[in-house]
Every structure is written in structure tokens, then in C-alpha cells.
Amino acid sequence: MKNKEKYPSLKIQNMVMTGRIADSLDIQYIADKLDGCTYTKKKFPGAVYHMKEPKIVALLFNSGKIVLTGITCKDDFQKGLKVLTSQLNGLGVRTLAVPDISVKNMVCSYDTGLKISLARVIATFTYEKIEYEPEQFPGLVFRIAEPKIVILIFSSGKIVLTGGTNIEDVKSAIDQLMKKLTPIC
């Protein structure tokens, strides 16, 4: 079975990536010259750059480190990084030939196709790492140790997975959850 068929509703909602794009950056200069980039030293120690296409937010720091967020696929990441380095180079900013950037967190959504009794999940997953306080939040929080992923489970059957750094870990977490849920739903 192809992965697309096994996980038809799996969608990356957001990726946060961090790393180094240059040895150092003059973020005040960049914010002054680059449209969509702001720097307010009193509020935040980095410049915030809202890219238009692809729609990504880049946090730039004097150290040359960056944080990218709003990424929903690898193609957008590649395109966004190319646009950013090109714009910085156009301003005379020297960037690394190969920026060192990696995924730190992924947020994904998935529809299990099940109607889930959260009360039954609590009763069945007795020794698992779960939290459920319906007065405060309508979902159940389920923590998986390996891979280290947190899953928000809703009675509608929809889940949100966070903490993964690659799609294989996210799929592994879904498989582990479905193995536990299917017999009780």
C-alpha cells in the first residue's frame, strides 16, 4: 500500500526550522532595506521578515541564526530559503553557500476516520501518558515516548500531532495510536 493511500488525510500544517544562514547579520540594516522586515530592539532581539511568496515568516538574528515558520512543504522551504538568500545577497549581505537549517518541530493534522469516546480512551490507556480536562480543553493529550510526539485527540476522530522532526516519525506515531484506538472504537 502506498503511503498516500495509508495516510490520505495527513497534512503538514506548519514546520518550524532553525539554523544558520550567515556568520553574522546586521539586522538593523536588513530591516531598514528589506520590505516586510521589521526590527524593534526593545520588543524582540531579532528582525521579523514576513515573506510574501512563499508565505513564510523568518526571524533573523545578529548571530546569523534564523528561525523559519509557516512552512507547509519541503518545496516551500527550498523556495523560501532561495528567495531569502537572494534578497540578502542583493543587499550586500554575505550568506553561507549552504545554510545549515533543520526541522525542529512539525505540526500535522490527520483524520482517523473513527468516532472516539475520550472517556473510553482514558479507561483503556490506564498507564499511558494522557491528560484530559474537558472543562479546559475539548481534546485529550496523549504523549508518545518514541518518537517523542504529542497527539491531541478529539472525539470527532481528528488528531493533531506536534513535536515530530520528520514525516516518518509522524506516521509512526499515527500507527502507534491507531493500534491502540482501533480495538476500542
Side-chain angles (χ1 to χ4, degrees):
M1 186 183 328
K2 289 188 172 28
N3 277 344
K4 200 72 164 162
E5 294 169 12
K6 187 172 180 184
Y7 309 97
S9 66
L10 180 59
K11 183 175 181 194
I12 297 171
Q13 299 293 338
N14 184 32
M15 285 191 283
V16 176
M17 305 179 96
T18 63
R20 182 175 295 282
I21 197 168
D23 290 328
S24 65
L25 294 170
D26 181 346
I27 57 176
Q28 184 66 63
Y29 171 77
I30 294 167
D32 290 343
K33 300 290 183 188
L34 192 59
D35 283 343
C37 188
T38 59
Y39 176 51
T40 310
K41 190 175 185 176
K42 291 180 182 179
K43 289 185 179 181
F44 185 70
V48 180
Y49 177 42
H50 293 270
M51 298 173 67
K52 289 183 175 75
E53 187 56 39
K55 195 170 181 178
I56 294 173
V57 175
L59 306 178
L60 308 166
F61 298 92
N62 283 321
S63 64
K65 291 184 179 181
I66 65 167
V67 176
L68 300 169
T69 188
I71 303 162
T72 57
C73 66
K74 192 171 186 168
D75 289 344
D76 281 354
F77 162 68
Q78 295 293 344
K79 184 178 177 184
L81 186 60
K82 188 175 182 178
V83 167
L84 179 61
T85 55
S86 174
Q87 289 176 329
L88 291 175
N89 291 335
L91 295 175
V93 176
R94 183 176 294 190
T95 58
L96 299 175
V98 180
D100 179 24
I101 299 171
S102 61
V103 177
K104 292 299 175 196
N105 185 35
M106 295 176 74
V107 178
C108 299
S109 61
Y110 183 73
D111 188 344
T112 65
L114 303 170
K115 292 297 176 200
I116 301 169
S117 166
L118 298 180
R120 186 175 288 165
V121 171
I122 291 169
T124 308
F125 293 19
T126 52
Y127 298 106
E128 305 290 337
K129 295 196 176 225
I130 58 173
E131 298 170 28
Y132 182 51
E133 296 184 35
E135 305 85 24
Q136 294 180 2
F137 184 69
L140 182 144
V141 179
F142 178 52
R143 298 177 191 283
I144 293 180
E146 190 57 43
K148 191 174 180 181
I149 291 182
V150 175
I151 305 175
L152 306 177
I153 305 170
F154 299 92
S155 60
S156 66
K158 294 188 173 141
I159 61 174
V160 176
L161 304 99
T162 186
T165 57
N166 61 66
I167 202 69
E168 291 77 25
D169 284 352
V170 171
K171 290 175 180 176
S172 172
I174 291 170
D175 291 342
Q176 289 178 54
L177 177 66
M178 292 305 289
K179 187 176 178 181
K180 291 178 175 289
L181 282 181
T182 304
I184 62 170
C185 291

